[in-house]
Amino acid sequence: MSKLKKFYMNDKIISPLIAIVISFIIAAIVMILIGKNPATAYGALFYGAFGTEGALINNIMKATPLILTGLAVGFGFRAGLFNIGANGQLIIGALLATYVGSQMQTFPFYLSIPLMLVVGMLGGALWGALAGWLKAARGAHEVITTIMLNYIAVFIANYVVNGPFQAPGGVPKSPEIAYSARFPNLVTTGATWLSAGIFVALAAVVVVYIIIEKTKTGYEVKAVGFNPYAAEYGGISISKNVVLAMAISGALAGLAGTMQVMGVYYRYLGSLGGSMGFDGITIALIGQNDPIGIAFAAFLISSIRAGSNQMQIAGVSKNIVIIIQGIIIFLVAANRLVKTLMVWKRKGVEEI
Amino acid sequence: MKKYVVALLALVLIMSTIGAAVTVFFVTDTGGLGDKSFNDSAWAGVQMAVKKFGITANVIQSYEQADYIPNLTAAAQVSDVVIAVGFMMQDALAKVAPQFPNTKFIFIDGVVKAPNVENFLFKEQEGAFLVGYLAAGVTKTGKVGFIGGIPIPPVLRYQYGYEAGVETYNVLNGANVQVLSGYVGSFDDPAAGKSMTNSQFSEGADIVFAAAGLSGLGTIEAAKDAGPGHFAIGVDQNQDYLAPGFVLTSAMKRVNIAVFDGIKSVVNGTFKGGTTVLGLKEDGVGISPMTYTKQYVPKSLLSQLKVLEKAIISGKLVVPNTKESFQSFQVPAIQF
């Protein structure tokens, strides 16, 4: 009995780990086939991700938004919802927060920073809750509504920073936020800086963990995710929890966008969204929708990407990094296969 | 005597290693290599310099906006010359260049004022003007389209030059060709470029000019899929070959020449911080020879274009490159 228990407890960690190891092996084979030395390539990758102060800073700065969007998507998954709209939610959150932040020139930091964070989360929450409401009230599948809302958010943002909310100079970016609203930096080296935003992301991991595991809301959300009708039979309101889950998910995504504004760009840029919203899906998948797992998954992806520039200096194409990420995702998604292999292996051992 | 010979030999040895020892790192913007226009053109310039001067060259492709500072920093740490390509990198380069005063930076499409940065700007509007005039003359539906990547200054110059070309055609030929314009929002999304092109086709445009890097490849594909009578206009490089017969022409921007000139100045020791602006006169911009599409263009139109080219080069015709200058643009009286 205890052997099985151990299997279950470790499985969530082992599956992704095996997937990562296999993916690095496959990528190494690819590298050998194209005539590059995997050892130097991985050495360069490691150096680019951890080797210098600048590398670590770059790594952590990349991980911060990934943790948050990963949490956003992962939380949605726990409620049985596919939140593909993290991109739109973070854009709306960032846009609103930037607007508020740019008006707070006379506010002290202990007012402006919390205010911007709250506004950013509210913006994302509203955008997410919209899709949630459409599902609860009309049955509209959240995959479609969130993707459509993504486009709407992008076009709203484009319109706004090219017109009413454009910084002088004719470039599509907003005016800067107030100096007091900037997130403090931990370290500054060369041309890069490490924003304290990473603490916000880590705090979010803890908060999400508490919500999911320790609160009634988390219980209800999980119940709706496992089996909506059973939950309803038990007295839990499906529609309320669907909207709530999408709102929390959107709030996390909005926080991701806001942190990018407060810690990196200090304004809303046309390309603020980037691939963060969709990377959140990847991160949630690799992290198995568990807050701690998501944090690790975010650092894994950020390390790989941070190391990619040193790998390119070592002569290995940036596409190898994309291959590595792709194989990890493929294998994690196919973790049933890995699970089955593990069961076979166990059977093999027991038979002997 | 012996000492003299040894000294001379040593000098020759040192001189010969100067060219070979120059390392060049090219940092792309998010479009990356393979965009068949902007970044590829710059890389071609680097390769020309490799052949001519024997330098060693390498490339770092940026995946997202947040990569610019780390990539530029990493390149500057290991290289003598860093080529930064793209306006989106301006803020990042402005932060990185002062950190590495001994590294020389060549910057395309923007300006960073520093003694170790050589900037190259282009008069995209002049090439776009010719292309716009041509499109207005060839269109059968009276509507032509423009698709931009992100409304940054180089793309805006393309847009307003194009619209000025169409307006000039209208005034000088008594026509009423309209321009539909839109922005994709990124330089690396061919699918979005294709769908925007298709919606412009369905609104009646038959020629669409895409100044959108990789996204513009979607425009070319859309023209090919839409069939004869629909054209795309390429950008930055000669893209006519990508879909022969469906790319009417390309508004060329000789980024490769600028990059080559920049590297040459480093090798020759004439590198100096500052800005060079390349236009039609300097052969920095132009239109493609239209190898596959000459049959669609009336000879009279081609000779009109030649007259306009001369007018631009002589300074008689100043092509607008911003919204304000476009609105106050007066089509000069030109005799054909």
Side-chain angles (χ1 to χ4, degrees), chain A residues 4 7 16 20 91 109-110 112 154 171 174 215 252 260 289 301 306 347:
Chain A
L4 269 172
F7 177 94
I20 293 165
I91 287 178
F109 73 93
Y110 46 81
S112 49
V154 166
V171 183
S174 77
T215 66
L252 286 162
Q260 287 296 92
N289 300 328
I301 297 294
K347 271 209 180 131

Side-chain angles (χ1 to χ4, degrees), chain B residues 13-322:
Chain B
L13 196 66
I14 295 173
M15 299 287 324
S16 68
T17 56
I18 286 183
V22 172
T23 44
V24 169
F25 256 85
F26 167 43
V27 179
T28 72
D29 72 7
T30 53
L33 290 183
D35 63 355
K36 303 262 191 303
S37 54
F38 192 57
N39 287 296
D40 282 355
S41 181
W43 185 234
V46 175
Q47 302 291 49
M48 275 162 58
V50 168
K51 270 206 197 83
K52 188 97 194 271
F53 305 118
I55 57 168
T56 43
N58 221 321
V59 61
I60 301 184
Q61 300 195 51
S62 305
Y63 182 71
E64 48 182 347
Q65 174 90 357
D67 281 342
Y68 292 148
I69 293 186
N71 284 351
L72 286 169
T73 308
Q77 281 168 340
V78 299
S79 165
D80 305 309
V81 182
V82 174
I83 307 199
V85 168
F87 177 81
M88 306 290 287
M89 270 195 226
Q90 188 166 283
D91 288 341
L93 187 61
K95 292 201 175 76
V96 174
Q99 309 275 340
F100 297 95
N102 291 326
T103 309
K104 300 185 174 48
F105 293 88
I106 296 171
F107 187 34
I108 309 285
D109 265 11
V111 175
V112 171
K113 287 197 172 66
N116 58 339
V117 181
E118 230 175 43
N119 305 286
F120 287 92
L121 293 177
F122 289 85
K123 291 193 182 154
E124 292 89 344
Q125 68 272 17
E126 294 182 353
F129 179 89
L130 296 171
V131 152
Y133 192 92
L134 184 68
V138 169
T139 175
K140 299 251 180 316
T141 61
K143 286 204 183 113
V144 298
F146 172 81
I147 290 184
I150 297 180
I152 56 176
V155 177
L156 290 168
R157 292 196 279 270
Y158 270 126
Q159 179 183 355
Y160 291 114
Y162 183 71
E163 294 192 17
V166 172
E167 187 182 317
T168 305
Y169 182 85
N170 285 343
V171 168
L172 296 179
N173 293 281
N176 193 12
V177 177
Q178 292 177 318
V179 178
L180 309 167
S181 61
Y183 277 85
V184 173
S186 85
F187 290 114
D188 52 17
D189 194 350
K194 185 170 181 181
S195 71
M196 192 171 266
T197 309
N198 281 328
S199 58
Q200 286 189 348
F201 281 153
S202 61
E203 283 180 60
D206 57 348
I207 306 178
V208 175
F209 173 36
L214 191 66
S215 312
L217 294 184
T219 303
I220 297 177
E221 207 182 298
K224 198 159 100 173
D225 287 350
H230 295 90
F231 297 100
I233 296 182
V235 76
D236 290 346
Q237 282 197 325
N238 182 350
Q239 297 188 316
D240 299 4
Y241 68 97
L242 287 177
F246 290 100
V247 181
L248 182 61
T249 181
S250 302
M252 321 241 293
K253 182 163 137 181
R254 297 196 166 84
V255 179
N256 50 347
I257 304 283
V259 168
F260 179 79
D261 283 349
I263 300 178
K264 186 164 94 175
S265 74
V266 175
V267 171
N268 288 344
T270 56
F271 180 92
K272 207 170 71 157
T275 307
T276 312
V277 183
L278 296 167
L280 205 55
K281 189 160 104 178
E282 299 83 6
D283 206 28
V285 299
I287 63 173
S288 72
M290 293 183 270
T291 325
Y292 309 98
T293 47
K294 272 243 167 61
Q295 66 268 34
Y296 300 113
V297 183
K299 284 232 166 29
S300 55
L301 194 57
L302 288 176
S303 48
Q304 287 179 9
L305 279 175
K306 284 253 165 354
V307 174
L308 289 167
E309 257 179 70
K310 282 207 187 72
I312 296 177
I313 292 178
S314 71
K316 180 171 174 205
L317 171 55
V318 176
V319 183
N321 57 2
T322 61

Side-chain angles (χ1 to χ4, degrees), chain A residues 242-330:
Chain A
V242 161
V243 176
L244 187 61
M246 284 303 294
I248 296 180
S249 179
L252 286 162
L255 190 59
T258 311
M259 289 319 303
Q260 287 296 92
V261 173
M262 290 172 77
V264 183
Y265 299 114
Y266 305 131
R267 64 173 88 237
Y268 184 89
L269 276 182
S271 54
L272 191 89
S275 63
M276 273 192 280
F278 303 105
D279 289 336
I281 304 175
T282 309
I283 304 289
L285 194 65
I286 300 177
Q288 306 272 319
N289 300 328
D290 181 274
I292 318 268
I294 286 175
F296 279 111
F299 272 108
L300 172 71
I301 297 294
S302 71
S303 303
I304 294 178
R305 288 189 185 167
S308 122
N309 62 14
Q310 288 295 338
M311 266 181 74
Q312 292 190 60
I313 291 183
V316 178
S317 156
K318 93 169 174 181
N319 294 315
I320 294 285
V321 163
I322 299 178
I323 290 177
I324 294 178
Q325 288 175 157
I327 299 178
I328 293 179
I329 298 170
F330 176 76

